[in-house]
């Protein structure tokens, strides 16, 4: 009996070890690739550069997290990575400097009064199933965006399209929407007022195939069915292995300005904690450059200490601002002096040089450096770190040395370790400089946004103090300021005012409203935004803490136009939403500079 | 016997009913909903539309009755996390993977744990015993997510023997199975040792020895058989645990199994999936106890069902 | 239902010894076991660290905030050392990414982790013991109702239940305690019931009844002391499990709120993510969890061996 047990144990171990050794290790492209004989031509007939690896090795792999939907028109916040290039194509496409460039929309014009836009489509555009892409597809796409249960509806509502709200609420049929097809290759957008930034939003007009979706009110499940994998972009979905990966292949029907070079793009689903390891083990070609903690502080420290890895690192600033906000409609934060005390008590430099090293720069404004309308220089002293002044202001507000101040909870939203570190550093500084006790409570996304909503809409009064990021949606001075206000709906209650926070300032709203309708005068608009932002910062609606920096590692054998710097000299590994990342790379037998 | 089993199964139905009510009440008390929350605040109109889309605009008791009505027809609803999959379909897709992992783990855990326990019992209070005890305590006290990461660092990154994760073939099974099996090995070894030690002390073993039976036949006929009885009750409950997966192991090793859904379902407010999982677990637990009890009757002639 | 007859895990003590000699023997047996003593030492050291992390017990009388004793700094004092500093003479366990002294956080973490583990067992005992005793002593309908309730509760998946509770109530120290207590009392209840069920049929209980002892006296003086042994063991062994459960909750982001440290949270939040370079952030809390589990497991094992009268000394 004993022997048989031992035998069983040994044989089991043997099976495991054999299984482990017998099977080949996963293919790693860096392992001595044979140089292709003759030029490499992909399935679109495009000849790849001379140093390209053979076609079967033109596979690009990067990590992501599995989400619920496969298409932008289902959900923007719960869509799988990759749909923006794999599926549809957008009307215009920003270049590396965020300027809109022709894409499916070859050209466009706007009427004298700024209220009618005309878009001309590329003539020979077809879906991957051979059906021509027409202006009707765009009209249908906008009709789909105008539905009440769509989570990005608020974004398109900023375009001021005629009858938008009525179509959303169902008062008017979708045909009444201000988006109309003139002919197969032309459509127009009619707006209620001039919208200077409309063309920038058209970068997110991701056309869907009407002949496939059919139902305007489909919740987005259509794109999960394999028979519906119909694309207009450079890639087309080959397979969706649930729980594992998405596999895209070059779309051989693609015609347009961004033809693909690599043959396959594989999106591997994995948790952030293990991505760096998988990258180092040759299972991924790129990692990082997203919102998850793919490259935590330890990874960054390791990269900086390792010359090989350091060469693969690409860093560039993101337009994102992490800030503290208050419920200014309730005590104690209805007192400006309290808010000012907080704003002067936090040493941003210590945070961005400490826990957030390589990941952030100090923030004193809502609009990050390099963003249209930003005024970083002009505003950087308004909330400068000054612990003595902070103490004094808190005392003036009636809380000398923090006495009598209520016990505070700082809420964070689905915080990754880095964000929690920042929150803890802030709490420590508030304790050190103002003698206040702050506990940090992390909420999951749903609970957090529910609380945020209740704070404003229902004036719940129990969500006083929190830390949250806002990332740009499109590159225009209006975008990030819109979190704090906008054109007032006449006679509306405070709780129904534009913006997501419990801070209100009529002058601020007026400035935003005026600038938002000013056509063909970008300079004047940005001037107005600067005035508005000054109000915001001086009234301490928020305490900006840091602007994020993106870090990504890309294997040296990945080359292509993607790595050419933009006008500021920055090499970026942008979200594919801009400059069509996956179409601008190929796998090479030589290494990148 | 049959009657006994039937009574137990009937009791299970009652448990499931009450359980579903408790779960329904509990999960609908959690703030937030299954929809995506954007960066901006939702309008009331949008919130209403979303609630209607997910059938959450009705009172909770009505939602419960609708759910119950579906269950009677074996329809557990559609998952909110994967809108194209039913709860049954989702479990059907992911559970086999987890089962695969779990069964391998059980094999390894028993294959290593039982011999380890027997050896340390037979060689009680020698260095072999101490070493085995130390090893099993070591395995028992270290969380398996720590093992998981350590294994990845050692075997994938440093030694480059195995991939860091995935679920494509045998070489992908080794690390997760080892990481997952560590704690059960330790537990099994400890309990096996305890029961064998106890069985060795029994009077009839002494008698057998006095009769001059060989050690081997004493071990197999008298000791192990008796040691098996208490082990059944201890190891039974291990099994549902192991075959329903661990979020840590599956997340760290990228295994497309069921384990993660025990947590993501609550994060995503996937109500149909939450309640589906609760039902699955309840049935598994009940069956395990039932099988354990029935096995017991066969193993221990002294126990009779009254 | 025949559950009771088949409930073999909770088999009674086969021989009833008088209380005094039982416990005196147990203590002797416990201290004769070298491993139990090791466990006891570990547990004592940890408890000592938890209690004397700072001078909370005199601070109120001196009218000031507690000052660190064993800890070097407050657990939330940031930027006292370089970001992610490795262990050194000044920072025995290094510093975390906010420049906080890891040693101090470990010591304060002992307070949180241990108190959660011990209190959750205490609350579980508070619910489980009376319920189990009631069910076992009264039997019949009371037993039936309680046991069906236990059946239902034990059929709930623990992690999922804890999660729902945490999401519903919000992450906090007391809610972690609540979630852990609510998921552990069942075992204690079952165990107690099993003990009472068999002990009440014993000769010495019958004898007490015959001489006219009243119920409370029988329960508290006769049955409870005899039933306690396996319960004590279960509680002791439940402590490491609670520490592990708290670690799991924190790992998934619904545990103790920062900046208050718990070992599980230290591993789960900063530790795991930064294990490849700042190894000390995961290593020390993991070692502490392992040590605690080891200590309580050894003590629990020792108690079981000591309290089990079947153990014939010296084999």
């Amino acid at each position: 009996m004993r022997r048989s047990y031992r035998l069983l144990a040994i044989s089991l171990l043997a099976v495991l070890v054999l299984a482990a050794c017998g099977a080949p290790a996963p293919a790693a492209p860096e392992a001595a690739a044979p140089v292709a004989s003759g030029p490499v031509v992909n399935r679109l007939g495009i000849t790849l550069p001379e140093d390209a690896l053979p076609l079967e090795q033109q596979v690009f792999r990067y990590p992501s997290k599995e989400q619920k939907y496969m298409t932008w028109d289902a959900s923007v916040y719960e869509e799988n990575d990759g749909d923006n290039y794999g599926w549809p194509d957008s009307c215009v496409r920003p270049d590396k400097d965020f300027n809109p460039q022709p894409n499916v929309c070859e050209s466009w014009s706007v009427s004298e009064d700024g209220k009618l836009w005309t878009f001309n489509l590329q003539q020979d555009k077809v879906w991957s199933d051979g059906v021509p892409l027409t202006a009707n597809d765009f009209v249908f796409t906008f009709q789909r965006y105008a539905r009440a249960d769509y989570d990005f509806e608020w974004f398109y509502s900023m375009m001021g399209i005629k009858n938008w709200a009525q179509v959303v609420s169902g008062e008017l049929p979708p045909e009444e929407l201000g988006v109309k097809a003139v002919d197969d290759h032309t459509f127009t957008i009619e707006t209620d007022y001039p919208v200077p930034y409309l063309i920038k939003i058209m970068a997110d007009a991701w056309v869907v195939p009407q002949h496939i979706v059919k139902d305007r009110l489909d919740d987005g499940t259509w794109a999960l069915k394999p028979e519906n994998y119909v694309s207009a972009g450079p890639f087309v979905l080959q397979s969706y292995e649930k729980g594992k990966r998405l596999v895209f292949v070059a779309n051989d029907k693609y015609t347009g300005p961004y033809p693909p070079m690599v043959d396959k793009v594989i999106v591997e689903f994995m948790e952030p904690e293990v991505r760096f390891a998988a990258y180092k083990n040759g299972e991924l070609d790129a990692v990082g450059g997203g919102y998850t903690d793919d490259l935590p502080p330890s990874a960054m420290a390791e990269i900086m200490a390792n010359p090989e890895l350091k060469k693969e690192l690409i860093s560039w600033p993101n337009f994102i601002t992490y800030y503290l906000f208050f419920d200014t409609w309730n005590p104690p934060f209805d007192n400006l002096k309290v808010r000012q005390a907080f704003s002067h008590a936090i040493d941003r430099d210590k945070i961005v040089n400490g826990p957030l090293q390589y990941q952030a720069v100090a923030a004193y404004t809502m609009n990050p450096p390099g963003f249209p309308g930003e005024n970083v220089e002009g505003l950087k002293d308004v909330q400068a770190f000054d612990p003595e002044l902070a103490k004094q202001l808190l005392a003036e507000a009636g809380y000398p040395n923090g006495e009598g101040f209520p016990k505070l909870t700082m809420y964070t939203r689905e915080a990754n370790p880095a964000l929690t570190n920042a929150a803890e550093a802030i709490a420590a500084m508030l304790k050190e400089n103002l003698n206040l006790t702050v506990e940090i409570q992390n909420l999951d996304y749903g609970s957090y946004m529910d609380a945020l909503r209740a704070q404003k809409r229902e004036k719940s009064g129990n969500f006083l103090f929190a830390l949250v990021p806002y990332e740009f949606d499109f590159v225009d001075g209006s975008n990030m300021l819109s979190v704090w206000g906008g054109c007032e709906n006449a006679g509306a209650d405070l709780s129904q005012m534009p913006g997501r926070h419990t801070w209100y300032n009529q002058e601020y709203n007026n400035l935003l409203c005026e600038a938002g309708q000013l056509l063909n005068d970008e300079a004047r608009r940005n001037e107005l935004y600067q005035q508005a932002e000054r109000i915001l910062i001086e009234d301490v609606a928020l305490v900006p803490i840091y602007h994020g920096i993106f870090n990504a590692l890309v294997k040296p054998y990945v080359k292509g136009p993607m790595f050419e710097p933009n006008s500021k000299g920055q090499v970026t590994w942008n979200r594919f939403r801009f400059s069509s990342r996956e179409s601008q790379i190929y796998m090479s037998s030589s290494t990148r500079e | 016997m049959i009657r006994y089993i039937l009574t137990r199964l009937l009791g299970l139905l009652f448990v499931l009913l009450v359980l579903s009510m408790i779960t329904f009440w509990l999960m609908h008390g959690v703030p937030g909903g299954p929809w995506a929350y954007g960066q901006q605040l939702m309008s009331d109109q949008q919130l209403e539309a979303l609630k209607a889309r997910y059938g959450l605009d009705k009172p909770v008791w009505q939602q419960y009755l609708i759910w119950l009505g579906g269950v009677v027809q074996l329809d557990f609803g559609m998952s909110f996390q994967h809108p194209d999959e039913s709860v049954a379909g989702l479990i059907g897709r992911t559970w086999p993977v987890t089962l695969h992992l779990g069964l391998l783990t059980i094999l390894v855990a028993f294959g290593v744990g039982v011999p380890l326990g027997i050896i340390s019992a037979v060689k009680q209070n020698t260095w072999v015993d101490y070493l085995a005890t130390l090893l099993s305590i070591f395995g028992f006290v270290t969380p398996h997510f720590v093992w998981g990461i350590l294994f990845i660092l050692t075997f994938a990154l440093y030694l480059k023997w195995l991939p860091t994760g995935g679920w494509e073939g045998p070489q992908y099974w080794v690390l997760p199975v080892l990481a997952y099996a560590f704690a059960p090995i330790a537990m099994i070894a400890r309990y096996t040792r305890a029961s064998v030690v106890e069985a060795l002390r029994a009077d009839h073993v002494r008698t057998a020895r006095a009769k001059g039976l060989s050690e081997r036949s004493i071990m197999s006929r008298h000791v192990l058989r008796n040691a098996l009885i208490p082990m059944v009750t201890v190891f039974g409950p291990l099994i549902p645990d192991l075959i329903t997966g661990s979020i840590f192991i599956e997340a760290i090793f990228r295994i497309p199994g069921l384990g993660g859904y025990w947590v993501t379902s609550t994060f995503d407010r996937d109500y149909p999936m939450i309640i589906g999982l609760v039902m699955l677990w309840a049935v598994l637990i009940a069956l395990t106890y039932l099988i354990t009890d029935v096995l017991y009757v066969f193993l221990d002639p002294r126990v009779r069902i009254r | 239902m025949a559950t009771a007859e088949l409930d073999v895990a909770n088999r009674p003590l086969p021989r009833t010894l008088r209380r005094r000699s039982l416990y005196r023997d147990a203590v002797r047996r416990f201290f004769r076991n070298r491993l139990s003593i090791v466990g006891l030492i570990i547990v004592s050291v940890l408890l000592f660290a938890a209690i004397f992390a700072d001078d909370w017990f005199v601070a109120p009388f001196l009218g000031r905030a507690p000052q660190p004793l064993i800890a070097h700094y407050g657990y939330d004092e940031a930027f006292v050392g370089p970001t992610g500093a490795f262990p050194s003479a000044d920072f025995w366990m290094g510093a975390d990414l906010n420049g906080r002294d890891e040693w101090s956080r470990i010591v304060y973490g002992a307070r949180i982790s241990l108190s959660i583990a011990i209190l959750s067992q205490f609350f579980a005992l508070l619910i489980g013991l009376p319920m189990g005793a009631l069910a076992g002593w009264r039997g019949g309908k009371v037993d039936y109702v309680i046991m069906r309730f236990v059946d239902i509760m034990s059929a709930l998946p623990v992690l999922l239940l804890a999660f729902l509770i945490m999401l519903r109530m919000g992450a906090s120290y007391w809610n972690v305690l609540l979630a852990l207590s609510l998921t552990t009392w069942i075992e204690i209840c079952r165990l107690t019931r099993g003990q009472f069920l068999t002990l009440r049929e014993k000769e010495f209980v019958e004898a007490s009844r015959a001489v006219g002892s009243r119920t409370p006296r029988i329960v508290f003086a006769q049955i409870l002391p005899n039933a306690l042994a396996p319960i004590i063991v279960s509680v002791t062994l439940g402590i490491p499990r609670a520490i592990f459960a708290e670690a799991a909750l924190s790992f998934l982001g619904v545990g103790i709120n920062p900046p208050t440290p718990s070992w599980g949270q230290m591993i789960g939040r900063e530790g795991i993510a930064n294990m490849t370079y700042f190894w000390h952030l995961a290593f020390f809390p993991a070692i502490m969890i392992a040590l605690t589990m080891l200590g309580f497991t050894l003590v629990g094992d020792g108690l079981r061996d000591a309290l089990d009268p079947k153990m014939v000394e010296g084999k």
Side-chain angles (χ1 to χ4, degrees), chain B residues 125-187:
Chain B
N125 297 332
T126 64
W127 65 271
V128 183
D129 180 26
Y130 288 138
L131 192 75
T133 307
L134 200 74
L135 239 152
S136 59
I137 285 180
F138 193 53
F140 182 63
V141 299
T142 315
H144 54 347
F145 47 85
V146 175
W147 285 123
I149 302 257
L150 276 178
F151 285 163
I152 290 181
L153 293 180
T154 319
F155 295 104
L157 281 187
Y158 184 68
L159 295 170
K160 297 221 173 272
W161 287 356
L162 296 163
T164 61
W167 196 251
E168 311 293 329
Q171 77 268 32
Y172 293 86
W173 304 343
V174 182
L175 293 186
V177 166
L178 284 184
Y180 203 12
F182 233 106
I185 286 175
M187 191 177 158

Side-chain angles (χ1 to χ4, degrees), chain B residues 14, chain C residues 1 131 133-150 193 197 200:
Chain B
F14 169 76
Chain C
M1 222 174 260
M131 294 264 278
L134 192 66
W137 176 252
R138 293 289 297 273
K141 274 192 187 130
V142 177
D143 180 37
Y144 185 82
V145 170
I146 291 179
M147 285 327 283
R148 289 299 77 72
F149 183 59
V150 165
R193 171 182 172 270
L197 212 56
R200 69 169 186 183

Side-chain angles (χ1 to χ4, degrees), chain A residues 194-414:
Chain A
V195 181
Y197 47 80
L198 186 138
I199 188 64
K200 294 176 180 172
I201 292 186
M202 290 308 281
D204 279 321
W206 299 93
V207 61
V208 294
Q210 185 179 11
H211 66 285
I212 299 287
V213 188
K214 295 190 181 88
D215 178 9
R216 180 179 85 89
L217 297 174
D218 185 288
D219 67 354
T221 317
W222 70 270
L224 292 162
K225 301 189 180 88
E227 68 270 23
N228 289 350
Y229 296 168
V230 170
S231 164
F235 295 89
V236 63
L237 187 62
Q238 187 181 50
S239 65
Y240 175 10
E241 296 169 47
K242 289 247 169 97
K244 289 181 169 179
R245 64 180 65 81
L246 291 164
V247 181
F248 293 91
V249 289
N251 176 6
D252 56 10
K253 297 267 186 0
Y254 180 81
T255 52
Y258 300 100
M261 290 194 276
V262 291
D263 190 51
K264 263 187 191 170
V265 177
I266 301 179
V267 183
E268 294 278 357
F269 300 137
M270 57 173 88
E271 294 297 313
E273 286 84 1
V274 292
R275 291 179 188 173
F276 183 47
Y279 175 84
K280 285 195 289 182
N281 205 32
E283 293 165 46
L284 298 170
D285 301 313
V287 66
Y291 313 98
T292 45
D293 238 8
D294 292 15
L295 299 173
S298 80
M300 289 311 293
E302 195 177 331
I303 293 164
M304 292 303 167
N306 180 338
E308 287 301 307
L309 282 175
K310 204 173 169 182
K311 267 191 250 168
E312 296 165 18
L313 178 70
I314 300 174
S315 297
W316 72 103
N318 183 20
F319 296 138
I320 188 169
T321 305
Y322 288 80
Y323 60 89
L324 294 170
F325 65 88
F326 314 97
D327 186 346
T328 68
W329 297 348
N330 281 300
F333 294 114
D334 53 350
N335 187 338
L336 175 62
K337 284 207 156 68
V338 172
R339 303 203 296 271
Q340 284 173 329
F342 272 60
S343 77
H344 291 299
I346 295 156
D347 186 352
R348 280 87 152 174
D349 288 334
K350 244 184 186 165
I351 298 176
V352 299
N353 293 323
L356 295 180
Q357 202 184 5
Y358 312 119
Q359 308 205 49
V361 294
Y364 298 91
T365 55
M366 183 72 196
N367 280 335
F371 202 71
E374 56 103 339
N375 186 17
V376 176
E377 270 308 302
L379 294 173
K380 71 170 192 259
D381 294 327
V382 178
Q383 297 192 5
F385 175 58
D386 187 345
E388 287 314 310
L389 179 61
K391 272 193 196 81
Q392 188 195 325
L393 283 162
L394 195 66
E396 283 171 25
Y399 309 102
N401 196 28
E403 279 156 33
F405 204 85
K407 194 171 180 289
L408 215 51
T409 302
M410 185 199 304
Y411 293 95
T412 55
R413 186 180 71 186
E414 227 167 53

